[in-house]
Amino acid sequence: MTNLENVQDGYQKFADQDIEGVLAKFDEGIQWHECNGFPFIEGDGIYIGPESILQNIFAMIPEHYDGFNINITDLMASGDKVIMQGFYEGTWKETGKDFKANATHIWTLKNGKVTHFFQAVDTAAIIS
């Protein structure tokens, strides 16, 4: 499986709510860089390891959002990097308002496992 196919498969698993399948794609030492501005991000927004990502990111999404999904408009790969361009969509529970926010992800893979994740998202749009 190429890096691009691996990341595509991860997005499909996320859409199917197969979080264990997503976590299985992560290296044990993965560094996850979450955008500041999300309501549940603590400190510098950097999380290390799949369990930390599960507890601090994935488990928090349904607490704050209804119908959260990632709408991918472009996915490209070069070497050990895969870049996603798209949108986050859903409803911010606090206000009940729907949102569509620009989102970009940069994935770094080594030996078929994700070692780094970097996110850039219009966080103001997802909490309005």
Side-chain angles (χ1 to χ4, degrees):
M1 183 179 293
T2 68
N3 287 339
L4 182 65
E5 292 167 337
N6 199 351
V7 171
Q8 283 176 314
D9 184 59
Y11 281 116
Q12 186 59 55
K13 286 182 182 335
F14 184 84
D16 293 342
Q17 299 180 353
D18 177 6
I19 300 305
E20 289 301 318
V22 174
L23 294 173
K25 295 187 169 293
F26 297 168
D27 183 84
E28 285 301 313
I30 183 175
Q31 292 183 16
W32 184 280
H33 296 253
E34 189 79 9
C35 271
N36 291 324
F38 277 92
F40 48 85
I41 300 305
E42 296 179 9
D44 60 7
I46 299 173
Y47 299 92
I48 307 297
E51 187 62 30
S52 179
I53 296 162
L54 174 62
Q55 292 175 2
N56 295 293
I57 305 299
F58 293 159
M60 302 303 291
I61 291 171
E63 289 188 26
H64 296 278
Y65 305 102
D66 283 325
F68 182 89
N69 72 80
I70 303 169
N71 180 349
I72 299 170
T73 57
D74 201 3
L75 200 59
M76 58 204 104
S78 179
D80 65 352
K81 304 278 191 221
V82 177
I83 301 170
M84 186 283 298
Q85 176 184 341
F87 301 94
Y88 285 176
E89 298 173 324
T91 304
W92 170 236
K93 284 185 175 182
E94 189 172 307
T95 63
K97 292 184 180 178
D98 293 338
F99 63 86
K100 182 176 183 179
N102 293 337
T104 300
H105 297 162
I106 302 172
W107 302 90
T108 305
L109 293 92
K110 184 176 181 179
N111 299 322
K113 294 284 190 176
V114 178
T115 60
H116 292 83
F117 170 83
F118 180 85
Q119 173 194 67
V121 177
D122 181 359
T123 55
I126 65 171
I127 60 169
S128 59

